[in-house]
Structures are given as C-alpha cells and as structure tokens.
C-alpha cells in the first residue's frame, strides 16, 4: 500500500493560509492528502481591514478573535492547523522605520525559532512543505522570518545530529515557495475584466509594476485548482477582521478567474527526489517515492 501523502504549509499569520495556496490545499484535501497549516504568530499586531469591524471591542480582543477566525477557516479548508506560538511583529511604518517590538517573531534567533517547526515536521512527517520566498512574498518582517525558519527547519528535520531532543529525524522531500502574483497573471485577469466591459481592479497595480520584480520566471509548478477557488474565498472571508467582503479581492467574478488563470503557482526551491520541470503537481516525484518509504 502507498504511504499516506502529507503536505505542510507554513505561514506567518492567521489569514495567510487562506490568501496563499488555499485552493491548492483544498484540492489535495479532496484527494485524501493530509494537510497541516502551521501558523507562526497569532496576528496580534495585525490591522482591522474590514471597516464594518473597525470597532473598539474588536481591537480590544483582536488576538482571541483572530484565533476564532483561524479555526473557522481551518474547518472550511478541511485542514489541520498548529500554532508555533510566536508574537506578531507588526508592519513598521514611517521614515525612518521604527524598531521592531521586543520579543517579536522577526527578532528571534533563527536556529532557536526553527526548533518548534522541526518538532512539528518530525511529528507530522510531511512529504512536501510550502512557504514564502526570501522576500516573504512581500516584505513583512514576519513573512521574511517565516521563510528563514521554514528553510532552516526543512534542512534540519532529517539530520539526526541536529535538534536530537525533538524527535526522530524526518526529511521532507520537497520545499516550495508560493508565487502568489506574477505579471502574466495580473495581465490575464486585467485583460479578462476589460474584455467583459468591467473596470479592472488591477489597473493601478500594473502602472506600478515597473517598480517591482516579476517573479513569473521563477514559477516551476502550476497546480490546476480553479474548482476550489470558492473554498479559498470562503476561507478568506472567515478571517472577517482581515478581509473586506466588498473589497478588492472579490471584484473579479469567479468564473472569469477560473477561465483566465485557473492555477496557483509555486517555485520548487529544494528537492531530494527527481521531478522534471515544469510540474503540475506538488507531489510529482513524491508519489513514487512514498511507495518505498
């Protein structure tokens, strides 16, 4: 019998799992894959981005509310979820930028902070791990730290000489970076909106594109998951403090998204199995190996 396939998705804050790779996770859950979302921080310093919930009582209980939102999103996606227990660093603003808060996630020693994730990897034994690239997907200090910790844990989890007190070694087989947006994707959605006579929410974004690198050439793996975009959106709306249900993310009709860009895209960053590129499956090369493990 084939070994049960397992996917671990490491994210910085509650809500990140629903905005990055959520449809891919929902697809694999439907296929019978065990999926574990790891949330590094509690999102305690996040903003309230839904104007309907921008109230003193919400701000006063933001940590508890975000945990409840995460639980609701987890149930919608059909995944398991674990907290690493670090404290949100917040997104510093100003010129010059203020120092990060003492004790926050982004200020932790990477070797120390990777320990809890190594333990989870050895307990859950994922075949595939997803996280952010070296820029964090976008330069939030917690996202950048999430990248560092994920790479460190991926490289240490299978080494019996590292973190020997944290369980029996387990080497994940592949590590992916989520590539949420590429210029080609934004152009496809933009042009599809114009083609049906609708205003595109991406027009200003495209005007500013010259100021940012295009990560499209880094994409190695495109997972067809358009049938699960509705699950992604339901999970995203479950994070009610973080998402305006009338906002930007929901302006493009579902059927147009499914037609114009029906994939979620990833960069294969590390692998210990053979998997010819480009890929259409995060478990390419893993399914065969899992039979022998």
């Amino acid at each position: 019998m084939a070994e049960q396939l397992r996917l671990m998705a490491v994210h910085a804050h509650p809500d990140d799992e629903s905005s990055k790779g959520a449809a891919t996770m929902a697809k694999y859950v439907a296929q019978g894959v065990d999926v574990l979302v790891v949330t590094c921080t509690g999102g305690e310093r996040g903003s309230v981005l839904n104007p309907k919930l921008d109230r003193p009582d919400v701000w006063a209980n933001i940590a508890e509310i975000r945990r409840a939102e995460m639980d609701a999103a987890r149930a919608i996606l059909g995944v398991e979820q674990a907290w690493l227990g670090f404290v949100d660093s917040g997104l510093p603003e100003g010129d010059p930028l203020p120092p990060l808060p003492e004790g926050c996630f982004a200020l932790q020693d990477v070797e120390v902070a990777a320990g809890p994730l190594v333990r989870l990897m050895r307990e859950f034994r994922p075949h595939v791990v997803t996280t952010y690239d070296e820029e964090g997907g976008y330069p939030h200090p917690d996202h950048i730290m999430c990248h560092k910790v994920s790479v460190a844990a991926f490289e240490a989890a299978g080494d019996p000489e590292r973190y020997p007190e944290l369980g029996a070694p387990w080497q994940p087989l592949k590590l992916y970076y989520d590539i949420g947006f590429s210029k080609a994707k934004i152009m496809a959605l933009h042009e599809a909106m114009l083609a049906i006579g609708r205003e595109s929410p991406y027009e200003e974004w495209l005007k500013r594109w010259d100021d940012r690198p295009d990560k499209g050439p880094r994409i190695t793996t495109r997972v067809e998951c358009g049938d699960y975009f509705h699950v992604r959106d339901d999970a995203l709306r479950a994070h009610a403090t973080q998402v305006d249900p009338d906002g930007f993310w929901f302006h493009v009709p579902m059927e147009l998204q499914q037609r114009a860009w029906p994939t979620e895209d990833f960069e294969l960053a590390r692998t210990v199995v053979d998997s010819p590129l480009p890929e259409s499956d995060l478990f390419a090369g893993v399914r065969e190996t899992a039979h022998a493990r």
Side-chain angles (χ1 to χ4, degrees), residues 85-99:
F86 294 104
V87 177
D88 190 340
S89 305
L91 182 60
E93 296 179 311
D95 187 13
L97 291 174

Side-chain angles (χ1 to χ4, degrees), residues 48-55 58-59 240-247:
V48 175
L49 300 175
N50 183 347
K52 299 180 183 67
L53 294 177
D54 189 1
R55 308 189 307 259
V58 172
W59 282 102
T241 61
Q242 303 305 298
V243 180
D244 183 353
D246 302 317

Side-chain angles (χ1 to χ4, degrees), residues 208-222:
R208 299 192 301 269
W209 195 274
D210 289 342
D211 298 330
R212 58 187 296 178
D214 179 17
K215 296 183 180 179
R218 296 176 57 167
I219 294 171
T220 61
T221 311
R222 302 179 189 274

Side-chain angles (χ1 to χ4, degrees), residues 18 25 27 38 54 59 63 65 81 83 104 114 136 143 146 155 158 199 222-223 227 233 255 260 262 271 280 284 286:
S18 296
M25 291 193 295
K27 175 180 180 176
V38 180
D54 189 1
W59 282 102
I65 290 171
Q81 189 262 340
W83 302 92
C104 70
H143 284 240
C146 180
E155 294 177 345
E199 182 179 355
R222 302 179 189 274
V223 179
D227 289 345
D233 286 2
E255 62 275 11
T271 182
S280 60
V286 171

Side-chain angles (χ1 to χ4, degrees), residues 270-290:
R270 306 273 198 286
T271 182
V272 297
V273 296
D274 291 330
S275 183
L277 303 179
E279 303 172 318
S280 60
D281 178 12
L282 300 185
F283 290 92
V286 171
R287 297 179 189 276
E288 301 80 8
T289 305

Side-chain angles (χ1 to χ4, degrees), residues 176-237:
Y176 286 94
Y177 299 156
D178 179 89
I179 306 292
F181 292 100
S182 61
K183 189 171 185 180
K185 177 178 180 177
I186 298 306
M187 282 296 299
L189 294 170
H190 172 73
E191 291 173 354
M193 287 289 280
L194 297 181
I196 63 171
R198 297 274 296 272
E199 182 179 355
S200 168
Y202 298 107
E203 187 167 352
E204 290 302 316
W205 198 341
L206 286 168
K207 288 178 181 177
R208 299 192 301 269
W209 195 274
D210 289 342
D211 298 330
R212 58 187 296 178
D214 179 17
K215 296 183 180 179
R218 296 176 57 167
I219 294 171
T220 61
T221 311
R222 302 179 189 274
V223 179
E224 290 267 358
C225 52
D227 289 345
Y228 298 89
F229 284 176
H230 69 284
V231 181
R232 172 203 64 193
D233 286 2
D234 287 346
L236 197 54
R237 279 188 284 262

